[in-house]
Amino acid sequence: MTTRQPGLRLLFWALMIAVTAHSTVTFFTDRIEQALYREGAAALAADLVIRQNQPVPAAWIAQAARHGLQHSQQINFPSVIFAQGKPHLVQIKAVDSNYPLRGKLQTQHQPGVNIQQPPNPGQAIADPALLHALGTTPQQAIKIPLGARSLKLHGELIQVPDASLNLFQLAPRLLIHRQDAEASGLLGPASRARYRLLLAGTPTAINKFRTWLAPQLSPTSELLTLDNSSPELQQTIQRTQRFLSLAALCASLLAGIGILLATRHYVDSLLAQTAILRTLGMTRRQVFVYHSKPLIRISLSGTGLGLILGYLLQAGLTLWLADWFDQTLPAAGWQPIPQAMIQATLLLSGFALPTLWSVQHMTPHQILRQDQQPANLTQHTAWASAALVFCGLLYWQANDLILTLSIIASLGLMTLILLGGAWCILSIPSRSNRLLAGRAALQRNPGLTRIQIVAYGIALTLLLLLTLIRGDILRTWQDSIPADAPNHFLINIQPDQANPIRKQLATHQITDTGLYPTTRARLSAINDQPVEPTSYQTPRARQLASREYNLGFSDQLQPDNQLISGTWWQPGTPALSIEQELANTLQLQVGDQLTFDIAGQMLHARIANIRRVTWGSFNINFFIQASATLQTHIPHAMITSLHIPADNPGFLRQLAAQFPTVSAINIQPLLDKVSDIIYRGSLAIEGIFLFTLAAAGMISLAALRISRAQRQRDIALLRTLGATRQQLRRYILSEFALLGGLSGLLAAALANSLGNLLGYQFFALTIGFKPEIWLLGGATGLVSVSLLGWQASRPILRQPPLTHLSAS
Amino acid sequence: MQNLTNQPILSASQVTKTLPTSSGNELTLLTDINLTIRTGEAVAILGTSGSGKSTLLGLLAGLDTVSRGEIHIFNQALNTLDEDARARLRAGQVGFVFQSFQLMPNLNALDNVRLPLQLSNAPNQLQQARTLLQSVGLAQREHHLPTQLSGGEQQRVALARAFAGPPRLLFADEPTGNLDNNTSRQIEDLLFSLRDQHQTTLILVTHDERLAQRCDRTLRLHNGQLI
């Protein structure tokens, strides 16, 4: 490694800091994302589920095993059991001994004693509603017939991890072993059995298997992942990822500023050397190669060391946050390694190479005469290249075009405002007569002062912005799930049961979200053109085109839904409302006529509007909502969601006794899961926020290194002229206090404005004027920059002035 | 010519300066330097490049510390003073002129001259600084930054700054080393004229025999030793 040149050494440190900052955050967010997805996977009971009408071919299972995937098979079908002389409609869930692959199954045979094992062959475990209908209790064991088999029913289901996949099942659930289902003789062609293959493994293995499986799936097969199985979980995790990306983006931006400062210093240090080499007869190309070689070595060593430090720091960070996670985080993946290498290469290519290229095109005479004109002209190209690379990196990190463009526009605006602030402090005449005031020191190198104000300003703006949105947006986010959010769904309510159920709810003072008619429907034509699932490009679109929907009927727009296009209809008008993501995937537009097949009966209507759904509210929401007038002559049941307080456990038993055909689905575990993810996500963001603060400190040190030589010379000269330590201390501190304080106040102004903009744009929040952010910004800038500046300048005070005067 | 007294303003006794080397040995820059400078005297220290002239000047001015020996300035032993005390000793009493001018780049000509006056809390700083600038012929350039001045003009500002106070003792390290012949002559004339005007003792380091001859006496330094 050639780091004898001070500029190159600084670039090495800056690059190492950049990679350390980036890889620490990437390693850490990678682990948290894995943990969050693991949480999400618990709601699927697997990482990937294949659901279809036919038994799963043995070849698929063999292939899954070859990819190192765990598997579990499941059969779901409705059936009738005869017990106590009465028929009872049940939803059979037949699982094997591997179930579940993710999450926890909880059953109870005795009060307070939870068991996490699936039933053995010959055993059955039932929903509380079924136990009640059968007149038994979890502690009692009774024999129930199931086709050709006789099972021992003992225990109740407390928590079934993939229960949310069956929100619209028609009957209480009976959990049995798969062998019993196969031996029951009930799985004939008319059985309406749905077969599931549950798979779990590494993301790479899952993706490879998905790729292998895709061409073999029939149009009626469904692939269920976290993305498409549970929209409320998906939305929550997406929000968490957006926050984590924002935090990682902050670290990347700060690191980029560090590279920028270091590169500037490196190129300055190259000028004289380039002139000498050219004078001695080196060609332009030879000079370019000569200067590029150390850059490549720097890139490799800085990236390698940065990665090692990043890995160690994230391990320390995880250890430090150990109490925040009640289970071990998954091991860090290898993806941050190539990411860091690409980042380092891009940063060096974008920030250093064009500047090097411009230097080699200067004549030795121009350099020796310090005639910067040609370099200044080509430096515009170098800056443009740096900006382009920076924008590319931003898009890479944000993975969202609108967010990227917003950040670029914001950064441009921030830079202009910060440059304006720097101009004010440097150019407006001062009334102060003090030559050793901070302002005079800042005028030592106006260019570097401007860069430092922009760098400190951007760093502090990002930190303050994160503080602002972390507080306000997370609070709003957590408040979005109220304490009385619905925790149960009641399904399969027959129309004639609606009023008695309403009365029952009123008696128990339980508020429901309204009873909605619903029916199962398959989309058969769009604008009179038959729907062909295979004509769609993406697997997701093919699935949505082939699946059955729960069509809801209501003339009311749910309060937590938002119209994106079109208008809401007048009662009595036949019309449809489509959820935004479904409309986008199937390319549906307002005005399109859709035809649905409802048990052989065709229903036609036009799309009146497209709406955004807040799935996290746990209210009744439909992908497709039809106007109430369309339900006439359509066979339907009703559905509602309600919050049953924990102190009213008897309500469900009474309801099951009075309305045996009505099923209650407990979604409290899902609700708990979403709350848990929100809680952990907010803590993770706080952890990364702390790291971003450290990255800002590193930028400050890089800037100090750049101005160190000049500061050394000034201090040596002042000491020669008789300045005491106290005078020098005041001189140094006033410079950094002014720099930090000014940057902090400008940053506060920017953060407050951007916080309002981003909060409104992306999170529908109004933040308003925040005086505490101004105070925090000014104080943080002043104290942190002063401390860093003082710490970095102290050694200069100890050295004899002659050392620095001789050097200059 | 100054009024010479027998009062020594500066003396050095057995002064040696060594530096540690990476191999663990010592590199000797100066060996057993003994000298006395009397008040009002102009002394040239003459020597070739690398002979240790600038190192000796730095030690005599208290800008660096000796490895062995003693230096007395204004009757005070430098090795008994800490850094702040040495700085206070210099403030207002010692002036410097450097080969590379050493002006503060962020301060204009007037403020550069005013700087030592402010450090020593002198009265009428602005008026004094203006008068000094006028005396070096740069009254019209007081608001110019160093980068806006020629080499000769920068050294004039440095001379004006050096005589702010005015100092009892002036150290000049190759004051014309970066200038052409004509400008060198002008700066030399200005230096000796201001020295006469302020009756300042001058210690001048140079390799220029002609310049050295303008001083009252010459000390020759060779391989770190006075000969």
Side-chain angles (χ1 to χ4, degrees):
Chain A
M1 180 175 60
T2 306
T3 54
R4 273 169 289 177
Q5 284 172 289
L8 203 54
R9 195 181 303 130
L10 188 60
L11 189 56
F12 168 78
W13 288 113
L15 187 68
M16 194 204 70
I17 287 166
V19 174
T20 305
H22 177 80
S23 59
T24 304
V25 172
T26 319
F27 276 126
F28 187 58
T29 51
D30 182 56
R31 294 182 72 176
I32 289 173
E33 279 178 19
Q34 281 188 58
L36 291 175
Y37 265 102
R38 190 171 64 182
E39 295 292 308
L44 270 180
D47 293 328
L48 177 70
V49 176
I50 299 131
R51 185 161 69 179
Q52 58 176 20
N53 295 332
Q54 305 87 35
V56 175
W60 294 9
I61 296 166
Q63 184 67 18
R66 273 194 285 276
H67 282 95
L69 298 172
Q70 293 173 270
H71 75 274
S72 170
Q73 288 194 72
Q74 198 180 108
I75 310 165
N76 290 267
F77 60 97
S79 186
V80 175
I81 58 169
F82 284 87
Q84 315 282 338
K86 288 183 186 171
H88 297 274
L89 182 66
V90 292
Q91 181 70 22
I92 306 285
K93 186 179 185 74
V95 300
D96 58 20
S97 53
N98 294 335
Y99 176 83
L101 299 178
R102 297 279 188 254
K104 286 178 188 167
L105 170 72
Q106 283 190 27
T107 64
Q108 217 172 65
H109 296 233
Q110 292 170 23
V113 181
N114 284 347
I115 296 174
Q116 296 183 1
Q117 295 293 321
N120 293 320
Q123 287 182 332
I125 308 166
D127 270 345
L130 179 61
L131 292 177
H132 195 86
L134 295 174
T136 183
T137 63
Q139 296 82 32
Q140 284 181 301
I142 61 166
K143 288 277 182 187
I144 54 165
L146 183 74
R149 296 281 294 161
S150 174
L151 306 175
K152 185 174 86 172
L153 174 60
H154 184 200
E156 69 175 336
L157 291 168
I158 303 297
Q159 183 181 326
V160 180
D162 51 350
S164 60
L165 295 179
N166 276 59
L167 279 184
F168 296 95
Q169 68 175 41
L170 296 172
R173 188 183 287 107
L174 184 70
L175 191 70
I176 65 170
H177 196 277
R178 193 167 69 96
Q179 286 177 11
D180 292 325
E182 286 167 344
S184 67
L186 298 172
L187 300 176
S191 66
R192 294 182 63 199
R194 298 279 279 168
Y195 295 82
R196 288 186 199 169
L197 174 62
L198 283 67
L199 297 165
T202 63
T204 314
I206 290 284
N207 284 335
K208 279 184 182 168
F209 181 76
R210 277 182 78 164
T211 310
W212 175 84
L213 187 66
Q216 305 182 55
L217 288 173
S218 72
T220 55
S221 300
E222 286 182 80
L223 274 181
L224 300 177
T225 61
L226 180 64
D227 292 343
N228 59 19
S229 64
S230 184
E232 51 283 289
L233 266 181
Q234 187 203 5
Q235 207 170 52
T236 306
I237 289 178
Q238 274 178 350
R239 277 180 166 178
T240 310
Q241 283 180 310
R242 175 163 281 186
F243 278 115
L244 291 175
S245 298
L246 197 62
L249 202 60
C250 290
S252 289
L253 288 184
L254 299 186
I257 294 167
I259 293 280
L260 189 144
L261 292 177
T263 307
R264 182 184 173 280
H265 189 48
Y266 174 56
V267 168
D268 281 351
S269 73
L270 277 186
L271 285 172
Q273 199 185 56
T274 303
I276 294 163
L277 292 173
R278 294 283 306 282
T279 308
L280 293 176
M282 260 196 182
T283 64
R284 289 175 177 180
R285 192 174 165 277
Q286 283 172 324
V287 169
F288 183 74
V289 172
Y290 178 81
H291 287 319
S292 299
K293 277 181 184 171
L295 271 183
I296 293 167
R297 284 196 291 270
I298 288 297
S299 173
L300 291 174
S301 52
T303 306
L305 193 56
L307 272 169
I308 293 168
L309 283 175
Y311 187 85
L312 293 174
L313 278 173
Q314 66 81 27
L317 193 64
T318 310
L319 202 64
W320 180 50
L321 300 179
D323 291 345
W324 292 2
F325 302 96
D326 59 19
Q327 52 183 308
T328 316
L329 283 178
W334 56 269
Q335 289 92 336
I337 297 171
Q339 276 185 26
M341 295 179 85
I342 294 169
Q343 187 211 22
T345 310
L346 285 176
L347 283 172
L348 278 177
S349 308
F351 285 87
L353 286 186
T355 313
L356 275 181
W357 191 261
S358 72
V359 170
Q360 64 145 347
H361 279 84
M362 290 176 73
T363 66
H365 188 60
Q366 283 171 328
I367 298 171
L368 292 172
R369 284 182 54 217
Q370 296 189 327
D371 183 355
Q372 297 292 306
Q373 275 312 103
N376 278 343
L377 287 175
T378 46
Q379 268 187 9
H380 292 307
T381 317
W383 278 103
S385 149
L388 202 66
V389 166
F390 209 70
C391 294
L393 282 171
L394 271 180
Y395 181 68
W396 184 32
Q397 289 288 308
N399 199 21
D400 180 332
L401 187 62
I402 294 174
L403 185 62
T404 305
L405 292 175
S406 304
I407 289 171
I408 290 168
S410 305
L411 277 177
L413 189 68
M414 280 160 70
T415 304
L416 282 178
I417 291 171
L418 289 165
L419 282 174
W423 180 85
C424 286
I425 197 72
L426 291 169
S427 307
I428 294 175
S430 167
R431 290 184 181 178
S432 166
N433 203 28
R434 292 170 51 81
L435 299 177
L436 295 183
R439 188 168 171 275
L442 291 180
Q443 284 170 328
R444 183 195 303 123
N445 186 336
L448 189 59
T449 298
R450 278 193 285 269
I451 288 177
Q452 281 179 281
I453 287 178
V454 170
Y456 288 136
I458 289 178
L460 286 169
T461 301
L462 294 174
L463 295 173
L464 292 172
L465 191 60
L466 205 57
T467 308
L468 200 64
I469 61 175
R470 185 174 59 107
D472 278 11
I473 295 180
L474 285 180
R475 204 174 303 120
T476 307
W477 185 18
Q478 286 171 328
D479 288 349
S480 71
I481 299 182
D484 60 349
N487 56 7
H488 283 77
F489 282 111
L490 292 187
I491 61 171
N492 200 28
I493 303 167
Q494 297 309 306
D496 60 337
Q497 294 173 324
N499 283 331
I501 283 182
R502 283 194 187 101
K503 280 184 192 166
Q504 184 79 345
L505 294 176
T507 307
H508 285 81
Q509 296 181 318
I510 289 172
T511 311
D512 63 277
T513 55
L515 268 67
Y516 296 88
T518 180
T519 192
R520 300 287 284 176
R522 190 177 291 277
L523 181 63
S524 61
I526 300 170
N527 294 326
D528 296 328
Q529 296 297 312
V531 172
E532 294 291 344
T534 50
S535 66
Y536 287 97
Q537 296 293 317
T538 64
R540 172 76 174 140
R542 285 196 288 270
Q543 283 165 21
L544 289 174
S546 62
R547 64 168 276 187
E548 272 196 331
Y549 290 92
N550 291 290
L551 203 60
F553 298 93
S554 171
D555 286 334
Q556 301 296 317
L557 175 67
Q558 287 283 48
D560 52 6
N561 284 197
Q562 187 188 350
L563 277 191
I564 301 296
S565 61
T567 53
W568 199 252
W569 55 74
Q570 293 295 320
T573 313
L576 296 169
S577 177
I578 310 290
E579 190 267 344
Q580 182 187 21
E581 195 257 334
L582 175 68
N584 287 342
T585 312
L586 294 185
Q587 297 165 358
L588 301 175
Q589 292 173 340
V590 172
D592 284 350
Q593 173 159 301
L594 305 187
T595 303
F596 290 95
D597 182 344
I598 303 169
Q601 194 174 338
M602 306 310 274
L603 183 148
H604 308 275
R606 288 197 180 276
I607 299 173
N609 57 64
I610 291 166
R611 76 204 133 82
R612 181 185 295 157
V613 175
T614 308
W615 295 104
S617 68
F618 293 93
N619 289 324
I620 295 291
N621 277 303
F622 299 97
F623 278 106
I624 302 167
Q625 185 173 334
S627 57
T629 191
L630 286 171
Q631 81 182 64
T632 318
H633 309 305
I634 299 284
H636 62 267
M638 301 185 95
I639 180 172
T640 189
S641 65
L642 47 127
H643 180 83
I644 301 175
D647 59 359
N648 197 356
F651 170 72
L652 280 179
R653 290 182 193 278
Q654 287 181 30
L655 196 75
Q658 198 175 343
F659 307 100
T661 58
V662 173
S663 290
I665 306 284
N666 182 3
I667 56 165
Q668 189 63 48
L670 184 65
L671 197 62
D672 291 344
K673 190 64 68 187
V674 172
S675 297
D676 191 43
I677 288 172
I678 291 173
Y679 175 70
R680 289 178 193 217
S682 64
L683 291 178
I685 290 161
E686 283 187 4
I688 290 172
F689 164 79
L690 289 176
F691 185 81
T692 310
L693 191 66
M698 291 177 181
I699 299 295
S700 303
L701 288 175
L704 281 165
R705 287 291 301 265
I706 288 173
S707 55
R708 187 174 178 172
Q710 197 152 17
R711 185 169 291 108
Q712 281 174 334
R713 178 189 161 281
D714 284 1
I715 289 173
L717 182 62
L718 288 170
R719 283 173 65 183
T720 303
L721 295 178
T724 61
R725 277 173 193 269
Q726 194 186 0
Q727 286 171 315
L728 292 174
R729 202 177 299 135
R730 204 183 303 137
Y731 174 67
I732 292 168
L733 283 176
S734 63
E735 174 189 353
F736 291 114
L738 186 65
L739 187 69
L742 178 76
S743 305
L745 285 177
L746 287 169
L750 283 165
N752 205 162
S753 312
L754 284 172
N756 274 297
L757 190 74
L758 289 176
Y760 182 77
Q761 182 75 25
F762 294 104
F763 308 103
L765 276 178
T766 306
I767 288 171
F769 175 69
K770 292 278 179 184
E772 65 270 26
I773 283 293
W774 289 71
L775 193 67
L776 184 67
T780 307
L782 190 142
V783 174
S784 62
V785 178
S786 298
L787 280 177
L788 278 169
W790 175 243
Q791 196 60 31
S793 304
R794 269 175 60 192
I796 305 172
L797 291 178
R798 295 197 203 104
Q799 290 166 344
L802 195 61
T803 316
H804 304 302
L805 289 176
S806 305
S808 69
Chain B
M1 184 63 66
Q2 298 290 294
N3 288 327
L4 299 182
T5 71
N6 286 324
Q7 288 292 321
I9 194 168
L10 184 149
S11 64
S13 166
Q14 304 291 314
V15 168
T16 298
K17 180 68 178 176
T18 57
L19 286 179
T21 63
S22 53
S23 58
N25 299 324
E26 280 191 340
L27 176 68
T28 303
L29 302 178
L30 295 169
T31 311
D32 292 334
I33 303 290
N34 295 293
L35 60 85
T36 303
I37 311 289
R38 286 175 295 155
T39 304
E41 204 177 10
V43 177
I45 300 172
L46 200 61
T48 52
S49 294
S51 59
K53 305 187 295 290
S54 295
T55 306
L56 177 60
L57 191 81
L59 292 175
L60 296 178
L63 300 181
D64 201 355
T65 50
V66 298
S67 303
R68 283 190 298 277
E70 272 193 359
I71 294 173
H72 283 79
I73 185 167
F74 309 136
N75 290 322
Q76 293 198 58
L78 284 183
N79 58 354
T80 63
L81 303 177
D82 65 10
E83 183 54 46
D84 267 359
R86 291 203 299 272
R88 275 193 292 271
L89 193 72
R90 286 193 294 269
Q93 296 193 79
V94 177
F96 287 89
V97 182
F98 299 96
Q99 179 179 357
S100 52
F101 323 134
Q102 302 286 13
L103 298 177
M104 295 283 276
N106 53 312
L107 299 182
N108 62 29
L110 183 68
D111 286 341
N112 261 293
V113 178
R114 194 157 63 99
L115 190 58
L117 296 170
Q118 194 164 79
L119 289 173
S120 62
N121 279 324
N124 301 322
Q125 295 168 14
L126 211 57
Q127 183 55 44
Q128 279 196 63
R130 283 210 167 95
T131 306
L132 282 162
L133 264 188
Q134 208 169 5
S135 69
V136 297
L138 289 177
Q140 305 304 313
R141 312 280 269 170
E142 64 178 42
H143 294 301
H144 286 65
L145 290 171
T147 50
Q148 296 167 315
L149 299 171
S150 68
E153 286 172 329
Q154 286 189 53
Q155 196 59 308
R156 281 164 185 260
V157 175
L159 277 176
R161 183 182 66 185
F163 282 97
R168 292 167 62 194
L169 179 59
L170 179 71
F171 292 95
D173 185 1
E174 302 273 16
T176 57
N178 274 0
L179 303 170
D180 61 65
N181 283 342
N182 265 344
T183 313
S184 293
R185 291 283 167 84
Q186 290 168 14
I187 293 296
E188 282 168 31
D189 293 344
L190 198 54
L191 169 65
F192 282 94
S193 154
L194 286 169
R195 183 215 157 224
D196 290 343
Q197 186 185 332
H198 296 287
Q199 301 196 340
T200 304
T201 305
L202 173 67
I203 301 175
L204 184 145
V205 157
T206 183
H207 63 272
D208 184 349
E209 292 274 2
R210 191 190 49 75
L211 178 59
Q213 281 171 9
R214 294 187 68 164
C215 295
D216 302 323
R217 96 184 138 98
T218 299
L219 302 172
R220 289 184 185 274
L221 200 59
H222 181 68
N223 286 340
Q225 290 182 302
L226 284 175
I227 51 173

